[in-house]
Amino acid sequence: MNKEGSAAFENIELMAGPMGMGGASSAVTDDTSALIWNPAGLARLAAPEIGISYMDLYGVLGYSFIGVAQPIRTGQTVGAALLNSSDTEGISQERIALLSSATRLWKQLHVGINVKYFTTSVNLEQVPLGHGTGWGTDLGIQYALMSEQIRIGLVLPNLFSNLSYRRLEGGGANSSTYTEPLLREWRISTAASVSVPNREAGTVLAAFEISNGIPLIGCEYQHIARQGTFALRLGWRFIGGLTAGFGYQHGKIGLDYAFVAGRHVSSQTSLFSVRLFY
C-alpha cells in the first residue's frame, strides 16, 4: 500500500473464497466477505458469522482481516470489521475500522453501506515521520433474478471520503498538513448458477465482473455432501493473472484457501480464510 497520492489505503480484497474466483464475486458474496466485497450481500446472510483472513504479500507486506456479521431479522444484517496492513520492517501501517448495514429493499433487491474510519502511520527506525486519519463510505447493491439463478452486483467503494495527513519534519519540531479524498472506484458484476445434471447436490457458478475497467472472470463448483460442503474455484484477472482455490465447510467452521498470481511472472502469494458460525 503506497502512502502517496490516491494509492493510500489501496483496496486489498481479502477472504480466500472471492479471491479464488479471481475477485469476480460482487454479485454473489453473501457471508462475512461481503463486508469488504459488497456490503449488500450481508442482507442475504442466514446466520451470525465471524470471518478471519490473512495474506502475506511476497514476504514484504502482511494483511489481516477480522469481521463479524449479525442478522437482526430476515433480510437485514449489521456488521463490523477491522483491517490492518503493515510491512515487515515496521515502517508503515494502515488500519481500517468499519461498520456495515444491509437490508432488503424490495423482493430480491438488497442494498448495503459501509462507514469506514482510517488511520495510518509512517516511521523510520522507530522515529515517527507522519500520521493520518480519515473516513469513507462504500455503497453496494445486489439484485437477483430467476429464483436467484442470475445475480447482478454493483459496488462503489470510497463513494465519499476524506483523509487528513500530518507530516513531521526535523524530528517532529515542524509539521505540515494536507487533505485528500481516496480514489473513487467501481465494480459491476453478473453471475449465473446452474445445477449439475445427475448431481442433485452439485452446482456450478460462473461470474463476470469489471473492476475499475479491468475484466475479471471466475467460476466455482460446489458440492454438498453428508461430510460437508466442498468448493473448487478458478479465476482469471486480465491484469494480475490466474487465481485458484478450494473451500470446505462442516458444522460451525469453514476453511478457504486461494492461490493468487501477481502482475509479474515471478510474483505469487497464498490467502487463507476461516469462517466461524455461532
Side-chain angles (χ1 to χ4, degrees):
M1 290 187 180
N2 296 327
K3 303 295 181 293
E4 300 296 334
S6 60
F9 295 99
E10 180 184 356
N11 187 22
I12 300 297
E13 296 159 326
L14 294 170
M15 297 299 283
M19 280 308 299
M21 293 177 57
S25 65
S26 296
V28 295
T29 181
D30 58 4
D31 52 31
T32 43
S33 65
L35 287 162
I36 47 179
W37 287 87
N38 185 348
L42 292 175
R44 303 173 63 247
L45 196 69
E49 182 179 319
I50 295 173
I52 303 170
S53 187
Y54 180 77
M55 177 173 67
D56 179 84
L57 194 60
Y58 318 137
V60 177
L61 296 172
Y63 298 92
S64 59
F65 163 86
I66 180 168
V68 58
Q70 175 72 49
I72 55 179
R73 60 173 61 94
T74 302
Q76 191 170 5
T77 300
V78 295
L82 293 173
L83 299 92
N84 182 80
S85 70
S86 59
D87 63 278
T88 56
E89 297 181 357
I91 296 176
S92 65
Q93 186 175 39
E94 292 181 348
R95 297 158 293 271
I96 303 174
L98 70 83
L99 297 176
S100 185
S101 178
T103 187
R104 183 176 61 197
L105 285 184
W106 176 76
K107 294 184 178 180
Q108 295 301 318
L109 175 63
H110 303 90
V111 176
I113 187 170
N114 289 336
V115 178
K116 303 181 290 188
Y117 178 72
F118 306 98
T119 62
T120 181
S121 61
V122 181
N123 306 279
L124 183 60
E125 297 180 350
Q126 299 183 343
V127 176
L129 298 181
H131 58 82
T133 59
W135 59 271
T137 59
D138 305 331
L139 175 65
I141 298 172
Q142 281 187 351
Y143 184 65
L145 303 165
M146 300 174 60
S147 301
E148 297 204 359
Q149 288 183 309
I150 304 293
R151 298 184 191 175
I152 300 171
L154 172 66
V155 191
L156 300 174
N158 306 321
L159 182 60
F160 303 102
S161 66
N162 185 73
L163 294 173
S164 177
Y165 290 98
R166 183 184 180 192
R167 180 175 295 169
L168 305 178
E169 301 171 355
N174 302 305
S175 65
S176 60
T177 61
Y178 64 96
T179 62
E180 65 178 23
L182 283 170
L183 178 66
R184 288 185 177 177
E185 303 177 52
W186 60 273
R187 299 198 297 269
I188 186 168
S189 176
T190 184
S193 61
V194 295
S195 298
V196 179
N198 302 321
R199 289 183 178 271
E200 295 181 0
T203 58
V204 173
L205 173 69
F208 175 76
E209 182 165 329
I210 298 179
S211 176
N212 304 316
I214 300 171
L216 312 172
I217 299 173
C219 62
E220 177 188 74
Y221 170 72
Q222 187 177 98
H223 180 74
I224 301 175
R226 183 175 301 177
Q227 299 83 359
T229 300
F230 302 85
L232 295 176
R233 306 179 181 105
L234 192 65
W236 180 265
R237 300 171 296 163
F238 282 75
I239 295 182
L242 177 72
T243 71
F246 61 85
Y248 174 69
Q249 179 180 326
H250 181 69
K252 294 185 179 296
I253 187 169
L255 304 174
D256 294 285
Y257 166 81
F259 165 85
V260 182
R263 296 187 179 183
H264 307 286
V265 175
S266 60
S267 62
Q268 59 190 41
T269 190
S270 293
L271 179 59
F272 301 90
S273 298
V274 177
R275 291 183 297 130
L276 306 173
F277 314 98
Y278 61 96

